Amino acid sequence: MAGITFRELRQGLVHMFYPLLCEGCRRQLVANETVLCAGCETELALTHYHTMPANETELRFSGRFPFERATSYAWFTEDGLLQHLLHGLKYRDRSEIGTWLGAQFGTALAAANWQQGIDAIVPVPLHPSKEAQRGYNQSEVIARAMAGAMGIPVWADALMRTRATESQTSKTRTERAANVADAFAPGKPYPLTGKHVLVVDDVLTTGATTEACALVLLGMADVKISIATIGIAV
Ligand SMILES: [Zn+2]
């Protein structure tokens, strides 16, 4: 039983009695399919940014703070398939969606050796009250699956969220920045000095949240920052 959480055990039992359905089209999944059927998987609008320098993810952070490289897995559009998946991950207790997305992304990055030189992954933290309510931090679930595919550790508590911020969804760029400013602080001590860390978040919109995290890390030690998000909003 080592390594199996109660959540995974419970989900395994549920799946014994209820067949897994595709999150895209609700058809029954077959062997080796866990979240999307093969047909729906091709509908995710992958960016392939990890093979493109000066991609849109990098441009969104350009000039705001020093970073090495940045990428996103797929386009996030209103009512699109990725929005549906991330909604399930955040609000319908479907942590396996984050595990699947993280593994897909991490495998693609590892195939291009994108992670070369990166020492650890730091997921954007949730406030403890929200993490307790949700049962997990969705960015940490994604980060752990990415880390498994890329063979690098996760430093999950290197940052902590000190304020339970309001949802960013309906805010303007300026409001988003103000909402997350000072929302993060150093967490548990990790040997950050001289290291290259990958900040992982679920969706990139204006980048205010990622920037706030990066600024705290840059203020803690002499670190290099790279960034990876599952979604990039149009
Ligand atoms: Zn499907």
Side-chain angles (χ1 to χ4, degrees), residues 102-117:
Q104 297 292 108
F105 193 18
T107 301
L109 296 180
N113 205 21
W114 188 89
Q115 82 283 10
Q116 189 170 32

Side-chain angles (χ1 to χ4, degrees), residues 22 24-27 36-37 39-40:
C22 172
C25 66
R26 311 307 296 169
R27 281 198 300 113
L36 293 180
C37 71
C40 287

Side-chain angles (χ1 to χ4, degrees), residues 21-27 29 33 35-41 43 81:
L21 301 179
C22 172
E23 277 292 323
C25 66
R26 311 307 296 169
R27 281 198 300 113
L29 294 175
E33 295 173 344
V35 170
L36 293 180
C37 71
C40 287
E41 193 179 330
E43 287 179 26
L81 180 56

Side-chain angles (χ1 to χ4, degrees), residues 62-123:
S62 181
R64 295 164 70 173
F65 57 90
F67 66 92
E68 304 301 309
R69 49 191 183 268
T71 187
S72 303
Y73 184 53
W75 283 102
F76 179 94
T77 53
E78 193 75 32
D79 299 324
L81 180 56
L82 185 59
Q83 191 209 35
H84 174 73
L85 293 178
L86 291 176
H87 188 273
L89 169 63
K90 288 170 76 168
Y91 305 113
R92 288 186 287 114
D93 199 26
R94 297 290 309 277
S95 65
E96 73 274 21
I97 293 176
T99 299
W100 182 78
L101 285 167
Q104 297 292 108
F105 193 18
T107 301
L109 296 180
N113 205 21
W114 188 89
Q115 82 283 10
Q116 189 170 32
I118 293 175
D119 296 293
I121 299 182
V122 175

Side-chain angles (χ1 to χ4, degrees), residues 157-201:
D157 305 311
L159 294 175
M160 60 182 207
R161 203 160 189 140
T162 53
R163 283 195 296 114
T165 51
E166 300 165 39
S167 168
Q168 298 277 69
T169 309
S170 60
K171 296 189 184 305
T172 66
R173 184 189 188 91
T174 308
E175 288 167 344
R176 282 168 183 254
N179 189 37
V180 293
D182 306 321
F184 301 97
K188 290 184 183 162
Y190 285 96
L192 284 166
T193 300
K195 296 293 172 25
H196 183 174
V197 297
L198 177 63
V199 177
V200 164
D201 201 1

